[in-house]
Amino acid sequence: MTQFFTSTAAGPDDAGLVDVGRDSIRANLSRLRGVPTLTERYAGVPDPVELTDLDAVPTMRKNDLQLALTHEPPRAAGATGATTWLWQSGGSTGSPMFGYAPTGLYMAEVHEHWVHEGRAPIGPDDVVVNAWSAGKMWGAHYLVNALLDRTGCTAMCLGAITAAEYDAWLEFFAAQGVTAIGGTPSVLRLLFAHAREAGAKLPDLRTVMWLGEAWDTRLDDDLAAVAPDARRWGMFGSTETWVVGTNTPDCPADTWHTLPSTLVGIGEDDLLDFTALDSTRLNPVLRYQTGDAGRLVECSCGRPGPALQVLGRRDGLVKFRGHLVAVDDLVAQVSSVPGVTRAQLVVHEYADRGSMLEVLVLGGRTAEPDLADRVRETIVATAFGPSIVFQRIPDSLTVTVVDELVSNPRTGKTSNLVVRDHS
């Protein structure tokens, strides 16, 4: 049976359905019944009365939500005639997905959530760099701008920068007394790793905001060298759900305090689903599964009530020549080799010779000429399944030291896994 909880409840299943937005849940259920391709799926589901009744509501995945949004594109409402914003997610390794949001992008709740905790990452005296990529229908850059609008800070809407620009921008940040910067961890890692190697310092930096990927723990060491007073502040969500939780420097990087507008379900195999409880939400998010797994924990920050620890994605395993590969584990192992800044797996599929694994390695300034050989030796020497394949078929594995990894030019995100079909 699914376990449900909200941040307003003292514990899981403590809140009644009326308390957590019964009307919004029923409205979304009605919307989904009206989608021709989903009618049969939801027609026999009764309107929930109690919180436990939601267990009878089917979970939905990306394709289900996209069918609903295509059938009836939502529109923002309100006396001020709020704009309806259309955003895109994905598109780097699969078909793009879409999500809608009104003006403000729900950031009032995020700001209030942090303030309610007794402090906030940004205030009127801060000088903030927004380093999320702008344009191309990715919402993160604009979402953060909407958040900054509520703080009274001084903001620089920088967007993405290239490695050739790092030195000049780092010098500019220091001269301007930048106190906060935000971006995806993959982008921040490249910037701060470069700063650390170059000996650059950002003495005024105290806040690093992140959204869009899991935190890269190597950033902790980079920040300790470049900006020792800086602390991380995270947001967790997706274009479909929008932000569903936040954390503070006192929380573990994988642990989140969910927003009052979100009901979280923890089902079989710890799979998470999210339900929107706020009637202003434009996406009909009703038991929506992102592919993440999680569990309830008591956060070490000391805030009362349950917190959500995200355990990672349940779709992080791929089969390579008959062996399962835990993508994140292998990338982490390769990234631990001295001289490696970051790594990425590229699986090449050939109709005539089977799958080939190419490991792309981003080396730092101090990388030695034998880096590729050392990485290969590390992989082949491990006990995980495909190492047997690489010993038997040596050319099924290649290691390439590159100047940049394969990334999504629209968002700057760098996936741990890329699949290339050459058939």
Side-chain angles (χ1 to χ4, degrees):
M1 187 172 183
T2 304
Q3 183 180 37
F4 296 101
F5 81 99
T6 72
S7 63
T8 57
D13 302 323
D14 280 356
L17 191 55
V18 173
D19 301 323
V20 298
R22 180 182 61 191
D23 292 343
S24 295
I25 291 172
R26 289 183 171 183
N28 281 333
L29 182 56
S30 177
R31 287 174 65 183
L32 294 171
R33 289 181 184 130
V35 179
T37 50
L38 299 177
T39 298
E40 183 176 352
R41 181 178 185 179
Y42 288 99
V45 179
D47 286 341
V49 176
E50 302 294 339
L51 191 60
T52 53
D53 294 341
L54 283 174
D55 209 29
V57 177
T59 57
M60 63 190 314
R61 298 301 298 268
K62 286 181 179 288
N63 288 340
D64 303 318
L65 181 58
Q66 295 307 303
L67 287 171
L69 293 174
T70 300
H71 172 72
E72 185 183 348
R75 295 297 301 271
T80 59
T83 300
T84 302
W85 293 94
L86 172 62
W87 303 108
Q88 177 185 337
S89 68
S92 53
T93 58
S95 300
M97 302 293 176
F98 300 96
Y100 294 78
T103 299
L105 308 182
Y106 312 116
M107 286 299 102
E109 184 185 25
V110 172
H111 183 249
E112 291 166 5
H113 193 59
W114 266 321
V115 170
H116 179 71
E117 293 174 344
R119 52 184 173 151
I122 306 294
D125 296 329
D126 282 301
V127 180
V128 187
V129 173
N130 181 347
W132 278 275
S133 297
K136 304 294 179 66
M137 293 181 67
W138 189 42
H141 181 89
Y142 308 96
L143 174 153
V144 172
N145 282 345
L147 174 63
L148 298 182
D149 268 347
R150 312 195 69 83
T151 67
C153 72
T154 299
M156 303 179 191
C157 298
L158 182 63
I161 58 176
T162 64
E165 301 174 288
Y166 287 167
D167 289 327
W169 279 113
L170 286 166
E171 182 179 350
F172 180 76
F173 296 162
Q176 295 298 315
V178 167
T179 61
I181 187 170
T184 58
S186 58
V187 170
L188 295 173
R189 166 62 179 161
L190 296 178
L191 175 64
F192 284 106
H194 176 94
R196 182 182 180 185
E197 289 187 351
K201 304 292 183 182
L202 294 175
D204 298 310
L205 191 69
R206 64 177 184 84
T207 295
V208 176
M209 291 194 300
W210 54 289
L211 166 71
E213 297 170 335
W215 179 254
D216 188 331
T217 56
R218 293 171 300 168
L219 271 164
D220 296 325
D221 293 332
D222 296 334
L223 290 170
V226 176
D229 293 330
R231 299 292 181 266
R232 52 166 175 74
W233 294 75
M235 290 180 280
F236 174 65
S238 69
T239 300
E240 297 80 27
T241 63
W242 290 88
V243 175
V244 298
T246 67
N247 63 21
T248 75
D250 298 324
C251 307
D254 62 356
T255 302
W256 307 89
H257 297 282
T258 57
L259 303 180
S261 63
T262 300
L263 176 70
V264 181
I266 304 177
E268 188 177 356
D269 294 328
D270 297 324
L271 273 174
L272 299 175
D273 64 74
F274 301 94
T275 295
L277 306 176
D278 182 354
S279 60
T280 67
R281 300 279 160 160
L282 300 189
N283 296 338
V285 174
L286 180 59
R287 300 209 61 195
Y288 178 77
Q289 290 185 334
T290 60
D292 293 299
R295 63 185 177 188
L296 294 183
V297 296
E298 181 178 334
C299 186
S300 58
C301 74
R303 178 173 174 168
L308 176 65
Q309 181 185 30
V310 176
L311 303 175
R313 299 190 66 81
R314 283 290 183 254
D315 52 4
L317 295 174
V318 296
K319 184 164 285 191
F320 178 82
R321 291 182 177 255
H323 296 271
L324 285 177
V325 178
V327 173
D328 293 344
D329 291 346
L330 181 54
V331 168
Q333 180 189 35
V334 172
S335 298
S336 69
V337 175
V340 175
T341 300
R342 186 162 182 189
Q344 183 179 53
L345 309 185
V346 181
V347 175
H348 298 273
E349 303 281 3
Y350 297 95
D352 56 344
R353 51 186 174 133
S355 301
M356 317 291 287
L357 177 63
E358 181 181 20
V359 180
L360 302 183
V361 172
L362 193 66
R365 291 186 179 186
T366 59
E368 300 292 334
D370 66 343
L371 180 59
D373 293 334
R374 287 190 289 112
V375 169
R376 182 185 177 88
E377 290 171 3
T378 298
I379 295 173
V380 175
T382 59
F384 82 106
S387 64
I388 300 172
V389 176
F390 304 143
Q391 293 168 17
R392 190 175 70 247
I393 312 171
D395 63 358
S396 64
L397 170 67
T398 60
V399 179
T400 308
V401 179
V402 296
D403 293 327
E404 59 182 21
L405 303 178
V406 179
S407 63
N408 186 329
R410 181 173 56 85
T411 64
K413 286 188 179 183
T414 304
S415 172
N416 282 344
L417 174 69
V418 177
V419 179
R420 305 259 194 223
D421 189 350
H422 302 280
S423 58

